[in-house]
Amino acid sequence: MEKKIKNIHIIINPVSGKKESILPIIDASMKEAGIKWEVSITHQAADATRLAKAAVKTGIDALAVYGGDGTLTEAISGMIGSKIPLVILPGGSANALATELGIPGDLKEACMLLAQEPLETKIIDVGQFDKGYFIVGISLGFEADVVKGTDRQSKNKLGIFAYLFSAAAALKITKKAVYHLKIDGQEHKVKGLICLIANTGNLRFSSISFDKHIDVSDGFLDVVVVRKANLSLFKLLVVTLFQRQRPDNLELVEHWQGKDISVYSSPPQTVQSDGEMLEKIPLKIKIIPGAIKVLVPQKTKVIK
């Protein structure tokens, strides 16, 4: 059982995807919960990491982050090794980790989790590559091209539809590649359109998982290669989602789990990690089990 939160620091990304007056909502929620709060604002990349590192040393009971998955990843990078719980206040155009954990997308409802009695937390894994971290996943190919093609202005204006427009454009430019994988010492070489190293499994804008076996707290990363995008794949995914079963058509989708992974593609493809573009290839990736404690709704059951 977690102790009552009396003192919290909040990191806010002011250019996150939602257009709302957040400070009055936060202020009213904190007063109602009897919590003393301070706020820091990010201005540029890596600010959330620096602010989180400083905040966890001040004796606070929890650290809250308002922003999308990219802001969360930065903040978590500054919290690794700390036992202070993370409070997620979803503010991005896509909030995959919040969705995965059943955290409400509405800011007021998310703030209300601080007033729960008793408080409930969930221990989650974090992925690491080189000196960076990720909470959602790393992708090569089509999905990375979608992320690259979705700029901040489009996300602010169109929300999730910005990703759909980008996906239509990415389908025209993404070419297949051969993925060279090494998963816990086992080598694999497979041709495909997408390679995903996932920590969470939800569909970004839904609590439904594209594979119920992907668990943010299982101590493993999931490696998924989509070989081709066609009508057969669409039908397979629809059946998979309705039956909540792992795709079993290896001609279309392959799936492994592991703790230590290296990957590169030939020819090189676009690569992204939690919405941020990467350049260094090959990537050496590992899982940090139970790295962060996150405040979640009471008796939450993540849909898989």
Side-chain angles (χ1 to χ4, degrees):
M1 183 182 300
E2 296 294 328
K3 68 176 183 178
K4 180 176 173 61
I5 294 173
K6 298 180 180 179
N7 185 8
I8 192 170
H9 191 96
I10 304 172
I11 296 173
I12 294 175
N13 180 351
V15 296
S16 287
K18 292 185 178 180
K19 293 182 178 180
E20 56 185 346
S21 300
I22 61 175
L23 291 179
I25 297 173
I26 291 173
D27 184 54
S29 299
M30 297 302 130
K31 286 180 178 177
E32 185 176 343
I35 297 173
K36 180 181 178 181
W37 65 289
E38 293 184 352
V39 65
S40 296
I41 306 296
T42 64
H43 298 283
Q44 58 188 4
D47 272 0
T49 300
R50 174 179 57 81
L51 294 169
K53 283 182 178 179
V56 297
K57 297 177 181 178
T58 61
I60 55 176
D61 298 320
L63 177 71
V65 177
Y66 176 89
D69 292 310
T71 308
L72 276 177
T73 300
E74 284 193 10
I76 284 174
S77 299
M79 296 178 68
I80 298 292
S82 168
K83 296 183 179 180
I84 294 174
L86 170 68
V87 180
I88 300 176
L89 305 178
S93 51
N95 302 283
L97 183 59
T99 301
E100 185 87 357
L101 299 175
I103 295 168
D106 178 82
L107 177 57
K108 184 176 181 179
E109 291 181 11
C111 287
M112 287 174 61
L113 297 183
L114 289 160
Q116 291 181 133
E117 291 186 8
L119 294 174
E120 184 168 336
T121 58
K122 183 178 179 68
I123 304 296
I124 68 166
D125 307 327
V126 173
Q128 182 179 17
F129 62 97
D130 300 322
K131 295 182 180 180
Y133 299 92
F134 63 92
I135 52 175
V136 179
I138 291 175
S139 63
L140 294 77
F142 173 71
E143 187 189 51
D145 282 330
V146 172
V147 173
K148 184 178 181 179
T150 310
D151 59 33
R152 169 57 58 188
Q153 184 177 0
S154 297
K155 288 191 284 187
N156 288 344
K157 184 177 181 180
L158 302 172
I160 64 172
F161 293 102
Y163 291 97
L164 298 179
F165 287 121
S166 180
L171 274 175
K172 299 177 182 179
I173 63 172
T174 304
K175 304 298 182 182
K176 286 185 179 181
V178 175
Y179 299 113
H180 302 263
L181 293 156
K182 190 173 184 179
I183 304 170
D184 292 344
Q186 298 293 317
E187 295 187 358
H188 307 271
K189 188 165 68 173
V190 57
K191 190 174 183 178
L193 193 65
I194 305 169
C195 180
L196 176 66
I197 297 90
N199 190 38
T200 68
N202 71 76
L203 295 175
R204 306 291 175 126
F205 315 109
S206 166
S207 58
I208 298 174
S209 173
F210 64 79
D211 190 318
K212 68 179 182 180
H213 300 83
I214 300 178
D215 189 334
V216 72
S217 300
D218 64 359
F220 289 93
L221 292 168
D222 290 74
V223 183
V224 179
V225 172
V226 177
R227 290 180 174 270
K228 61 182 78 173
N230 56 22
L231 183 59
S232 296
L233 175 65
F234 176 75
K235 291 178 179 177
L236 175 66
L237 292 177
V238 169
V239 172
T240 297
L241 292 175
F242 277 109
Q243 294 182 351
R244 303 285 175 84
Q245 296 296 324
R246 175 167 291 179
D248 58 0
N249 187 337
L250 298 183
E251 292 184 0
L252 296 175
V253 179
E254 290 209 54
H255 190 149
W256 303 268
Q257 285 187 314
K259 296 184 177 182
D260 289 281
I261 299 156
S262 64
V263 58
Y264 70 93
S265 66
S266 53
Q269 289 183 310
T270 307
V271 186
Q272 69 85 31
S273 172
D274 285 0
E276 300 298 324
M277 309 315 297
L278 302 179
E279 294 183 1
K280 187 173 182 180
I281 292 291
L283 288 171
K284 293 185 178 180
I285 305 163
K286 68 177 183 178
I287 191 75
I288 306 175
I292 293 292
K293 182 166 55 176
V294 184
L295 186 69
V296 295
Q298 288 179 347
K299 299 179 180 178
T300 183
K301 292 184 178 180
V302 180
I303 299 175
K304 290 293 182 183

